[in-house]
Amino acid sequence: MTVLLETSRLIRRYGGVTAVDGVDFTLNEGELRCLIGPNGAGKSTFFKMLCGLVPPSSGAIKIRNDDVTGMRPHEIASRGVGIKTQVPSLFDGLTVRESVEVAAMRRLTPSAACDIADETLGHLNLKGIANRIVGQLSHGQRQWTELAMVLSTDPKIVLLDEPVAGMTHDEVNRTEDLLKHINTTRTVIVVEHDMQFVKRIATKVTVFHHGRILIEDDVDRVLADSRVRDVYLGKSGLRYA
Amino acid sequence: MRALQSHVTTIGTLVAGIVLVGIVPFAVAPFTLADLTLYAAMAILAMSLGFIWGFGGILSFGQSVFFGVGGYTYAIVALNFDSPSLALLAAIAVAVTGALLLGYFIFWGRLSDVYLAVITLTISLIFFMLMNSMSSSIYRIGDVPIGGYNGIPGIPPLVVPGTDRSLSVAETYVLVVTVALLVYLGLSWLIRTKFGRILCSIKENEVRAELLGYDARLYKLAAFAVGAAIAGMAGALFAVYSGLINPDVFGIGFSAQIIVWVMLGGLGTLIGPALGAVLIQMLVVWLGKVQVIDANMALGVLFIVAVLLVPAGLVPRLQGLLAVAFGNLARSRP
């Protein structure tokens, strides 16, 4: 298997607090990996370092063996990394269609971007809200709009931070189908708290705890692991409840 | 929809052009034409800020600096080389160079919007103090003394290309109004291009734009330079109109006034700032004639009233009323 993304001894400190503490992480091409862990485990900081929003204090990040450590977000994005953030980060004053077109324009001419936007909006069932102003959308619609923007950039690696947070049961089902479809052509990393959802989409899971990787294994083995139960529910986990 | 907006903009500008260039010069007195020339120059300056602030999210108090630099450069080059055309180009070039240098430090330094406003305001004050302090005859560029608080008088007017004949008042008016209309058309076109649409998205959410792969610094720097070029050109045209340039163009009052034009006319439009500039300039000229109240005090009161009654500005308010009146009228920008 080809290694697509690799971090070595990745550390991020905020003053005296170490949010991510020496993470060695490897992601192969075509994987759909879930990152789980209690609040404050370092998942989101890890994500932010992967897409360039937060520079690492030390360590290295490589994409296809290309060192991207400390690069700015646009440089990492142009290497094929797309991120859907935990709280949707959108162009509130533009329409849904305009937002997706702008996203697609990074690699396409405006007319080609228009075609891709049409295709993406159709694929995500967003044509009905295509001409609505993004700032007026519901939370679920905002999540999907951000996803449409990310997908229209044709990323090789898709980072999704809590993609089903605040979604209805039907929307969660649709998201599950969509993620599986995305994973047929792209590598996906998902940070998620909903264990049922994780069980439905992932084969391999990485558990973060205290800024480090606690365990990394098949989903069933991870969810049956006593250390994981302790982190979420038991001894040490109580501190993060 | 964008094609429709484009046609509306072009046809509207054409109609305005026919009226302003084809009819007005024959219908009004030369003294009024001179006033209208001033309004047109200020409208160009207002559009420069309307573009970078309304479409790029760059709140700059420094447009007056580029305006003033453009005016001074025009004066110095025109007087030294006796070539008004070269002076006009030099005015634009110097303003752009200044914007690229200043913008590099601002945007690559990742300064927040508030700091950007403060720094540009500070720079305009530095220019104000500097130019005021250069009253001694030792301060000169070539044969032209800077003149301190008196400024540079006797600035030559533009000439008919290929001849030595100076433009008349009416011809200068036609030229400045034509430039204003072309700036409006050009910026309207730029906003609809790929560059303009990405710039608007950066204004909406810079982090998201970066995460999509756009280098926001580069786009903002380019927009800043375009705004400076237009402001520099407006400054040169102002110098042509008045025949005099002095440090007042760098003053805090003038810097703030440009902000008021844009806010009163409507941020996020191009016609709004131009309209705001014309209306306020007309008010200032009228107040100067009637001598009832200090112009700055009147502008302050007007600004407060406008913010309370039409916070989005006159043009967006008018667009809103039209949308209500005619149903689902399309949002027309600019």
Side-chain angles (χ1 to χ4, degrees), chain B:
Chain B
M1 184 58 72
R2 281 189 210 107
L4 178 68
Q5 286 177 13
S6 172
H7 290 315
V8 169
T9 303
T10 308
I11 292 167
T13 311
L14 198 63
V15 171
I18 290 168
V19 173
L20 291 171
V21 174
I23 298 173
V24 170
F26 305 102
V28 301
F31 183 76
T32 309
L33 276 184
D35 277 350
L36 293 177
T37 306
L38 172 67
Y39 302 158
M42 295 306 173
I44 296 171
L45 175 60
M47 282 190 281
S48 78
L49 181 64
F51 170 67
I52 65 166
W53 187 15
F55 297 91
I58 304 165
L59 171 53
S60 166
F61 276 82
Q63 286 312 92
S64 61
V65 172
F66 302 126
F67 179 86
V69 164
Y72 268 92
T73 304
Y74 177 85
I76 291 164
V77 175
L79 287 168
N80 271 312
F81 297 99
D82 199 23
S83 172
S85 304
L86 176 69
L88 194 58
L89 292 176
I92 296 169
V94 172
V96 169
T97 306
L100 289 174
L101 280 171
L102 177 63
Y104 175 78
F105 288 109
I106 288 175
F107 301 125
W108 265 254
R110 310 299 293 175
L111 294 180
S112 68
D113 295 345
V114 175
Y115 282 108
L116 193 154
V118 171
I119 284 175
T120 49
L121 179 63
T122 306
I123 287 171
S124 71
L125 291 175
I126 289 171
F127 267 86
F128 180 72
M129 301 298 286
L130 189 70
M131 300 313 269
N132 264 311
S133 65
M134 290 183 166
S135 53
S136 165
S137 59
I138 62 166
Y139 297 112
R140 55 175 58 238
I141 297 176
D143 296 331
V144 182
I146 301 300
Y149 44 79
N150 290 318
I152 303 175
I155 299 171
L158 287 167
V159 295
V160 177
T163 71
D164 287 338
R165 186 174 73 79
S166 299
L167 294 184
S168 67
V169 171
E171 286 168 338
T172 303
Y173 161 80
V174 169
L175 174 78
V176 178
V177 168
T178 304
V179 169
L181 294 172
L182 289 176
V183 165
Y184 175 70
L185 276 181
L187 288 178
S188 301
W189 168 80
L190 188 61
I191 289 161
R192 284 193 298 273
T193 62
K194 182 174 177 174
F195 168 81
R197 294 177 66 190
I198 293 165
L199 183 68
C200 289
S201 73
I202 289 169
K203 185 200 80 173
E204 290 290 332
N205 187 339
E206 191 169 329
V207 172
R208 171 42 74 190
E210 291 251 353
L211 288 172
L212 292 173
Y214 297 115
D215 188 350
R217 303 169 302 187
L218 209 54
Y219 282 87
K220 290 171 89 167
L221 182 65
F224 197 52
V226 169
I230 295 168
M233 183 167 60
L237 293 173
F238 172 76
V240 168
Y241 150 82
S242 64
L244 165 76
I245 190 88
N246 65 35
D248 286 349
V249 292
F250 298 114
I252 192 167
F254 188 57
S255 300
Q257 206 180 102
I258 307 168
I259 305 275
V260 177
W261 296 343
V262 175
M263 288 191 72
L264 179 72
L267 194 61
T269 68
L270 286 175
I271 194 73
L275 188 68
V278 171
L279 290 176
I280 290 178
Q281 281 300 311
M282 287 172 75
L283 180 69
V284 169
V285 169
W286 180 73
L287 287 172
K289 283 176 185 167
V290 297
Q291 299 274 320
V292 174
I293 185 174
D294 178 72
N296 284 329
M297 189 181 289
L299 286 180
V301 172
L302 177 71
F303 181 61
I304 292 168
V305 171
V307 166
L308 291 174
L309 295 182
V310 279
L314 291 173
V315 170
R317 177 70 179 147
L318 194 63
Q319 285 174 334
L321 291 174
L322 285 173
V324 171
F326 294 103
N328 195 17
L329 193 71
R331 287 182 313 131
S332 62
R333 285 184 301 175

Side-chain angles (χ1 to χ4, degrees), chain A residues 1-76:
Chain A
M1 281 210 189
T2 312
V3 174
L4 190 59
L5 174 73
E6 193 179 6
T7 72
S8 51
R9 294 187 292 283
L10 200 62
I11 294 173
R12 173 66 203 192
R13 295 188 191 89
Y14 293 102
V17 178
T18 305
V20 173
D21 191 4
V23 168
D24 293 312
F25 178 84
T26 304
L27 184 75
N28 292 318
E29 196 154 4
E31 264 195 72
L32 193 165
R33 180 80 63 89
C34 278
L35 306 186
I36 64 171
N39 288 335
K43 309 180 299 290
S44 290
T45 304
F46 180 67
F47 247 37
K48 285 176 182 171
M49 284 193 284
L50 293 185
C51 67
L53 281 176
V54 171
S57 301
S58 65
I61 305 169
K62 288 181 179 177
I63 296 171
R64 288 186 197 279
N65 221 22
D66 178 16
D67 193 342
V68 298
T69 315
M71 281 188 181
R72 291 175 49 79
H74 72 273
E75 294 171 303
I76 294 180

Side-chain angles (χ1 to χ4, degrees), chain A residues 54-106:
Chain A
V54 171
S57 301
S58 65
I61 305 169
K62 288 181 179 177
I63 296 171
R64 288 186 197 279
N65 221 22
D66 178 16
D67 193 342
V68 298
T69 315
M71 281 188 181
R72 291 175 49 79
H74 72 273
E75 294 171 303
I76 294 180
S78 63
R79 282 164 171 76
V81 177
I83 182 169
K84 194 207 84 59
T85 49
Q86 190 174 346
V87 176
S89 173
L90 300 162
F91 304 131
D92 280 349
L94 305 187
T95 65
V96 173
R97 177 184 295 281
E98 285 170 340
S99 300
V100 179
E101 282 180 10
V102 164
M105 270 193 262
R106 192 196 79 205

